[in-house]
Amino acid sequence: MSLLNPKKELEREALITNLLKEKGLSITAPRKLILGLLLKEHGPFSAEEILHSLPKNSCDQATIYRCLNQFVEVQLVNTSFLEKDMAHFEYNDPHHHHHHIICRICKKIESFHECLMEKIETNLQRKGYKDIQHRLEFFAVCETCAKG
Amino acid sequence: MSLLNPKKELEREALITNLLKEKGLSITAPRKLILGLLLKEHGPFSAEEILHSLPKNSCDQATIYRCLNQFVEVQLVNTSFLEKDMAHFEYNDPHHHHHHIICRICKKIESFHECLMEKIETNLQRKGYKDIQHRLEFFAVCETCAKG
DNA sequence: ACTATTTTTGCAAATTACTTGCAAATCAAA
DNA sequence: TTTGATTTGCAAGTAATTTGCAAAAATAGT
Ligand SMILES: [Mn+2]
Ligand SMILES: [Mn+2]
Ligand SMILES: [Zn+2]
Ligand SMILES: [Zn+2]
């Protein structure tokens, strides 16, 4: 694939490197592989999916978890708990803020690029979704912790 | 506590029994204990917290998980994934729809009885929260699964 | 480039929330 | 009651995620 468009590939490489540098993370092969994958194929992936999408033996499972946790810590990646026994990870592109809907039965995931609940639920109903529930959680640093 | 107001206690008992019946669940001691706790003390609890809040040896850990899963299935209880390694459970009162904010650092949980994101974030800022993020996930049955 | 210091990785073993098999206890309907 | 179906407790199992440690790679200074 990189052979088809060497210029674009170099751009991507530079982007990945810059993102890591901006966040104060050193540039390593596993980190470039994982972040590169999340940039190219976007959508929430489980650690296992990431492991199997990368070239065989290019990166250990433990390394994937460690890198993903670091990415989440610096808010380069977001975590979803769409399925209760497994976290999903996705590149946190500040210009493409969105949310997800997962079917309770088949687990198919779709994206929503709007951010108003009533609108979203109406759209979901139009799309044929039934028995819609949502869960909205905020994460922040509280006043006490911000001072201490 | 039940000694202080036997009438209220009977009402609560009846409420619990009714809720279970409405959802087609049989009335058992563990189910009454767990649902009773979630009704009395409201707020998201982990399975472990529930286990330790109940009278010693009144209910096994496995039973707690089994009951909670059944409650979630019939939408009597909601699940939150406020902390990544542990689910939290809360009574799903349709008349008190709300959401939560957890501090990234001290893990303190507060509730929000509004349901519009901009309003909520503004309120959070006023309350002194910093570095606010939110995560909104929808769960539903997709058109294909609703037909099949 | 080379070296020293720090950080990260791979591997294998550990952790832990959660689940499950099964026999005994409990529940619901008659 | 009786009886058949459901649920529970206990103990063992499962699976996602984490961790200890020695080797490998990255960074900073020369
Ligand atoms: Mn997405
Ligand atoms: Mn609550
Ligand atoms: Zn579906
Ligand atoms: Zn705090």
Side-chain angles (χ1 to χ4, degrees):
Chain A
M1 54 177 65
S2 70
L3 294 175
L4 291 178
N5 196 332
K7 188 176 279 184
K8 278 249 160 106
E9 262 313 298
L10 285 179
E11 278 172 31
R12 178 186 299 284
E13 272 275 327
L15 172 61
I16 293 166
T17 305
N18 279 345
L19 284 171
L20 291 173
K21 277 195 181 136
E22 276 170 27
K23 297 295 186 177
L25 297 171
S26 56
I27 318 296
T28 70
R31 295 218 256 243
K32 287 198 286 186
L33 281 172
I34 296 166
L35 185 54
L37 176 67
L38 293 179
L39 284 173
K40 188 181 294 182
E41 324 273 346
H42 93 273
F45 298 117
S46 66
E48 205 203 5
E49 286 170 332
I50 293 171
L51 177 63
H52 290 115
S53 300
L54 295 180
K56 186 82 178 163
N57 295 328
S58 64
C59 181
D60 189 78
Q61 187 205 68
T63 303
I64 291 187
Y65 279 109
R66 276 187 286 231
C67 291
L68 287 172
N69 286 341
Q70 290 154 347
F71 293 167
V72 169
E73 212 165 355
V74 299
Q75 305 193 17
L76 201 59
V77 159
N78 284 330
T79 318
S80 298
F81 292 94
L82 295 159
E83 297 185 54
K84 72 170 167 182
D85 56 343
M86 205 171 32
H88 287 242
F89 302 88
E90 180 172 67
Y91 173 58
N92 175 28
D93 184 343
H95 298 110
H96 291 82
H97 178 81
H98 65 278
H99 299 288
H100 303 105
I101 176 157
I102 183 167
C103 173
R104 290 187 216 282
I105 298 171
C106 70
K107 310 296 179 194
K108 182 187 61 187
I109 296 170
E110 288 197 79
S111 300
F112 256 96
H113 291 266
E114 288 152 278
C115 205
L116 276 160
M117 279 171 285
E118 313 77 25
K119 253 197 203 167
I120 294 176
E121 292 222 349
T122 308
N123 278 352
L124 290 174
Q125 281 169 352
R126 287 212 190 94
K127 278 193 160 194
Y129 281 101
K130 309 283 179 198
D131 193 11
I132 304 168
Q133 271 204 323
H134 67 266
R135 181 189 296 148
L136 171 62
E137 327 261 30
F138 288 82
F139 300 81
V141 175
C142 77
E143 201 167 18
T144 318
C145 289
K147 284 173 181 165
Chain B
M1 67 218 3
S2 72
L3 295 176
L4 291 179
N5 196 331
K7 189 175 279 182
K8 278 248 160 105
E9 262 313 299
L10 285 179
E11 277 172 32
R12 180 187 298 286
E13 273 275 327
L15 172 60
I16 293 166
T17 306
N18 279 346
L19 285 171
L20 290 173
K21 276 194 183 139
E22 275 169 27
K23 298 296 187 176
L25 295 172
S26 56
I27 317 296
T28 71
R31 294 216 256 243
K32 286 198 286 185
L33 281 171
I34 297 166
L35 185 54
L37 176 67
L38 293 179
L39 283 173
K40 187 180 298 182
E41 326 270 346
H42 94 273
F45 298 117
S46 67
E48 206 203 4
E49 286 169 331
I50 293 171
L51 177 63
H52 290 115
S53 301
L54 294 179
K56 186 81 179 165
N57 295 328
S58 63
C59 181
D60 189 78
Q61 185 208 68
T63 304
I64 290 187
Y65 279 110
R66 276 188 286 230
C67 290
L68 287 172
N69 287 339
Q70 290 156 346
F71 293 167
V72 170
E73 212 166 354
V74 299
Q75 304 193 18
L76 201 56
V77 159
N78 284 331
T79 318
S80 299
F81 292 94
L82 294 159
E83 298 184 56
K84 73 170 167 181
D85 56 342
M86 203 170 32
H88 287 242
F89 302 88
E90 180 172 67
Y91 173 58
N92 175 28
D93 184 343
H95 298 109
H96 291 82
H97 179 79
H98 65 278
H99 300 289
H100 303 106
I101 176 156
I102 183 167
C103 173
R104 290 187 216 280
I105 298 171
C106 69
K107 311 296 181 194
K108 183 187 60 186
I109 296 170
E110 287 196 80
S111 300
F112 256 95
H113 291 267
E114 289 153 280
C115 206
L116 276 161
M117 278 172 284
E118 314 78 23
K119 255 198 202 168
I120 294 176
E121 292 222 348
T122 307
N123 279 352
L124 290 175
Q125 280 168 352
R126 287 212 190 96
K127 279 194 161 195
Y129 281 100
K130 310 280 179 201
D131 193 10
I132 304 168
Q133 271 205 324
H134 67 266
R135 182 188 296 147
L136 171 63
E137 328 262 30
F138 289 82
F139 301 81
V141 174
C142 77
E143 199 166 18
T144 318
C145 289
K147 284 172 183 164

